[in-house]
Amino acid sequence: GMPERGCYRVVAGGYGKIAVSAGERTGLLAAVDQLVKIARLEEDGRNRAMLALATAANVTLRRESHLYISGHIRTSKLRVNYSAEMVALLRATEPDARRSALYGLQFIVAPEAIEIMIALTRDHDVNVVRAASVAIAQYDTPATVDALIALTKHENRLVRMRGIVDLQYSRGPKALETFVGLLDDPDPEIRRLACRGFVGSSRREEHRELKARLEQFILADPDQGVRAEAARLAGGTHDPTFVEPLVEALRNATPGGRMEKACLESLNLIQSQGGKEGKRKVEAHIMLYVRSLWRGTGGTAPVDLMYDAKRITDVRWAAQRHPDPEVRRRAARCLGFLMER
């Protein structure tokens, strides 16, 4: 029997732990006994047994089943074998069971489940709605895109954010139109996510507003997180036309802050991936790079731009005085190269 006091942990198959206290013995001991037996089974048998418990009368068994489905079956190599069981579970009365089934289906192609998964984006439980958003994102059909667009207008902020993230997988024009409409949202986190989706969709569609809107975000958005995200996204385009706004933002950035780091990383990308024009434009601002490095932002790649005899004073300064030892090491390497020329 259990002692009157204490909390014990039973590991079931290495995938979860159940806290068992003496005051909660009713049902728990039976659940623990069943879980220990299941843990001894081979994977397929264990998976099927845990799926069967998703609607069990015992609350502990149900909870552990839901955790197992979303935490293990979801990524199991055998997951396609349980598609029918998880589709059936989408109709369960308990929200946690529906949510775990949606996560379990995330990496399974189950077109027969699309209709019910779309219906679950209107579920009364917001956690089920968010899981449904994740589940339908892989399909990119007119119906799933419409459902995701509806979620971007949901009354719950976390659901809106989830819908925007999942809509980024769509390749259609409706997604781009939605992102454009969200760029002026009063919520900075919504703007940041919409900016990411807008850039991804615009690069596919060659949207004419991309450069102007992204530059506006880099220089003028009132939220630092949005500005930094826009700066990071500009670097991902490898487009040399973003050098000027990035340099301007770098001049005004807080030393060592998110914006400075994002600008430096993006300028590095454009210098290395933006062709001759990108390299020329970035290297024209090498001293701004050096000053940023002296402030100790931790960026090191710009030091490699200084393989130029005209920069030897700057390189020597970085090699001797920069607070980051990695920057000093790389600057010293540049200095040695320049001294040998």
Side-chain angles (χ1 to χ4, degrees):
M2 294 277 291
E4 290 303 317
R5 296 179 181 276
C7 183
Y8 299 83
R9 290 190 178 276
V10 178
V11 181
Y15 297 105
K17 295 182 178 181
I18 310 165
V20 183
S21 64
E24 301 173 311
R25 277 195 268 181
T26 306
L28 281 174
L29 291 179
V32 169
D33 182 61
Q34 188 167 349
L35 289 170
V36 169
K37 290 177 181 176
I38 291 173
R40 298 190 182 111
L41 300 175
E42 295 294 325
E43 183 176 4
D44 182 64
R46 185 169 64 243
N47 291 347
R48 293 185 183 281
M50 293 300 289
L51 269 166
L53 296 175
T55 55
N58 186 302
V59 65
T60 299
L61 291 175
R62 288 203 311 274
R63 183 180 67 241
E64 294 305 312
S65 170
H66 302 160
L67 291 171
Y68 188 90
I69 292 168
S70 57
H72 175 69
I73 293 181
R74 175 189 182 196
T75 56
S76 170
K77 293 180 179 179
L78 303 176
R79 60 185 178 271
V80 295
N81 298 335
Y82 320 117
S83 176
E85 289 90 336
M86 287 190 284
V87 170
L89 196 56
L90 294 174
R91 296 179 172 83
T93 56
E94 188 175 9
D96 282 348
R98 299 195 296 275
R99 180 178 57 81
S100 65
L102 285 163
Y103 282 129
L105 288 165
Q106 182 181 356
F107 302 119
I108 297 175
V109 178
E112 71 277 13
I114 290 178
E115 185 176 350
I116 187 171
M117 289 193 291
I118 289 175
L120 290 175
T121 64
R122 301 185 292 273
D123 197 274
H124 67 275
D125 186 288
V126 294
N127 290 323
V128 172
V129 174
R130 292 171 65 195
S133 178
V134 172
I136 66 174
Q138 66 172 309
Y139 294 99
D140 198 18
T141 68
T144 58
V145 169
D146 286 345
L148 290 173
I149 290 173
L151 293 184
T152 69
K153 306 170 186 176
H154 199 278
E155 61 183 13
N156 183 282
R157 180 173 183 261
L158 293 178
V159 171
R160 290 189 74 199
M161 291 166 59
R162 183 72 258 173
I164 295 169
V165 169
D166 294 326
L167 187 60
Q168 293 173 28
Y169 292 99
S170 174
R171 297 294 186 266
K174 276 190 173 183
L176 177 58
E177 292 171 8
T178 302
F179 295 135
V180 170
L182 293 168
L183 291 176
D184 297 315
D185 194 274
D187 187 326
E189 189 63 17
I190 297 296
R191 291 200 305 277
R192 186 182 70 81
L193 293 173
C195 185
R196 184 187 301 172
F198 170 64
V199 171
S201 296
S202 296
R203 290 174 67 189
R204 290 191 294 267
E205 302 287 339
E206 294 299 322
H207 197 274
R208 58 186 176 82
E209 293 183 19
L210 171 62
K211 294 177 182 178
R213 292 306 299 266
L214 198 53
E215 181 174 340
Q216 178 187 353
F217 276 113
I218 293 170
L219 297 175
D221 195 276
D223 184 82
Q224 179 184 216
V226 176
R227 294 196 304 274
E229 179 75 5
R232 186 185 67 79
L233 292 167
T237 68
H238 306 156
D239 189 337
T241 61
F242 285 118
V243 170
E244 285 76 13
L246 286 169
V247 167
E248 182 178 344
L250 182 57
R251 286 197 179 98
N252 299 321
T254 301
R258 295 169 63 184
M259 191 62 182
E260 183 176 73
K261 181 179 180 182
C263 289
L264 285 170
E265 290 177 350
S266 289
L267 287 167
N268 276 324
L269 276 173
I270 294 172
Q271 189 274 338
S272 61
Q273 304 292 329
K276 292 181 179 179
E277 182 69 2
K279 181 178 174 62
R280 182 189 66 77
K281 283 192 170 187
V282 172
E283 291 187 357
H285 299 283
I286 187 65
M287 280 308 300
L288 182 61
Y289 261 135
V290 175
R291 292 190 190 103
S292 297
L293 287 170
W294 289 336
R295 289 201 291 262
T297 62
T300 59
V303 175
D304 286 338
L305 301 179
M306 297 188 291
Y307 284 86
D308 184 336
K310 293 181 291 186
R311 314 291 187 190
I312 191 165
T313 301
D314 304 326
V315 176
R316 182 178 289 111
W317 194 347
Q320 294 173 352
R321 298 181 57 181
H322 194 280
D324 187 326
E326 176 64 12
V327 175
R328 292 199 302 271
R329 183 186 69 78
R330 295 182 69 173
R333 185 180 66 188
C334 291
L335 183 62
F337 177 82
L338 293 173
M339 295 291 288
E340 291 174 359
R341 294 178 67 179

